[in-house]
């Protein structure tokens, strides 16, 4: 009888701890991050090179991959529409960007930022614009880095759910797992 009681007690404890895992952390899925990026993405930048070339760049169709290619990293893909004015006329191009960033949580504000943004890969359409836009890529990279350093990719809200309200109040850090960001409530 003692063995049965001991077995049932252990089973109950394991079940309780498994259920408590949901209470001890808050998970943000890739899909939720992508929805937020789609709603709140308004990156637009005017870049000029001493009167020779001016480019208006608008970023859209951002999508994230969390912790899949590299640990503790978010990969963003997106499209930048570029309107270029130069001494030889105006042209339009589209840049397909692949960027890498490190998610960082600010517990005082309840915000997750994508820090140290770096453009990893660029393809340009039409291809004849590749060399002209290669000149702009370092300026675009710095602009995107500054933008994502200042604008959060996710802000915890007390209004969306009780679990998120708990995360905002008790969050202790941020873990990156494949497909999600995890905010633990304990150390």
């Amino acid at each position: 009888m003692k063995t049965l009681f001991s077995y049932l007690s252990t089973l109950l404890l394991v079940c309780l701890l498994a259920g408590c895992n949901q209470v001890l952390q808050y998970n943000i899925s890739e899909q939720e991050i992508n929805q937020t990026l789609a709603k709140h993405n308004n990156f637009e930048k005017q870049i000029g090179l001493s009167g020779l070339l001016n480019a208006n760049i608008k970023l859209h169709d951002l999508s994230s991959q969390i912790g899949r290619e590299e640990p503790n990293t978010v990969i963003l893909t997106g499209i930048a529409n570029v309107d270029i004015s130069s001494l030889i006329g105006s042209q339009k191009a589209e840049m397909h960007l692949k960027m890498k960033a490190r998610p960082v949580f600010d517990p005082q504000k309840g915000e997750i930022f994508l820090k140290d943004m770096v453009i990893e890969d660029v393809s340009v359409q039409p291809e004849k614009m590749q060399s002209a836009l290669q000149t702009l890529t370092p300026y675009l990279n710095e602009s995107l880095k500054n933008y994502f350093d200042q604008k959060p990719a996710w802000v915890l809200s007390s209004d969306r759910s009780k679990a998120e309200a708990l995360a905002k109040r008790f969050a202790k850090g941020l873990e990156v797992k494949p497909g999600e960001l995890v905010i633990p409530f304990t150390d």
Side-chain angles (χ1 to χ4, degrees):
M1 189 70 172
K2 280 186 174 183
T3 308
L4 180 61
F5 180 73
S6 175
Y7 174 74
L8 289 175
S9 297
T10 304
L11 182 63
L12 181 62
L13 182 63
V14 168
C15 290
L16 281 173
L17 289 176
C20 287
N21 190 34
Q22 301 298 329
V23 177
L24 299 176
Q25 67 186 31
Y26 179 71
N27 300 355
I28 305 167
S29 71
E30 231 170 46
Q31 182 181 10
E32 291 172 302
I33 295 288
N34 289 339
Q35 289 170 348
T36 300
L37 288 171
K39 287 180 192 173
H40 301 289
N41 175 50
N42 56 1
F43 177 84
E44 185 172 350
K45 184 71 176 178
Q46 189 76 29
I47 298 174
L49 298 174
S50 38
L52 299 174
L53 180 77
N54 289 312
N56 184 43
I57 301 170
K58 291 181 185 178
L59 188 62
H60 61 92
D61 291 345
L62 281 177
S63 179
S64 69
Q65 288 187 356
I66 300 171
R68 294 182 191 272
E69 284 188 31
E70 284 183 47
N72 300 318
T73 302
V74 172
I75 302 293
L76 287 180
T77 56
I79 299 172
N81 291 334
V82 184
D83 293 324
I84 298 173
S85 307
S86 68
L87 297 173
I88 57 172
S90 297
Q91 296 182 345
K92 293 182 185 282
E94 190 174 85
M95 299 173 80
H96 293 259
L97 304 171
K98 179 180 176 183
M99 302 161 280
K100 178 172 79 169
R102 180 178 52 89
V104 175
F105 180 63
D106 180 340
Q108 282 77 32
K109 295 179 181 177
E111 298 173 335
I112 298 172
F113 293 90
L114 299 177
K115 297 284 189 173
D116 306 324
M117 179 72 65
V118 175
I119 296 175
E120 293 232 305
D121 188 39
V122 178
S123 64
V124 177
Q125 293 298 322
E127 283 186 33
K128 67 179 183 177
M129 297 295 295
Q130 182 82 28
S131 62
L133 293 178
Q134 225 169 355
T135 308
L136 294 176
T137 301
Y139 299 103
L140 176 58
N141 190 73
E142 189 62 29
S143 296
L144 286 168
K145 181 182 178 307
N146 291 335
Y147 177 78
F148 283 104
D149 278 353
Q150 296 171 11
K151 184 158 176 94
W154 186 268
V155 178
L156 291 174
S157 171
S158 301
D159 301 333
R160 281 192 282 261
S161 71
K162 289 181 182 179
E164 194 168 350
L166 284 171
K168 187 171 184 175
R169 188 168 177 202
F170 297 111
K172 297 292 182 191
L174 181 70
E175 296 174 18
V176 180
K177 294 188 177 178
E180 66 183 354
L181 298 173
V182 177
I183 299 172
F185 300 162
T186 59
D187 290 327

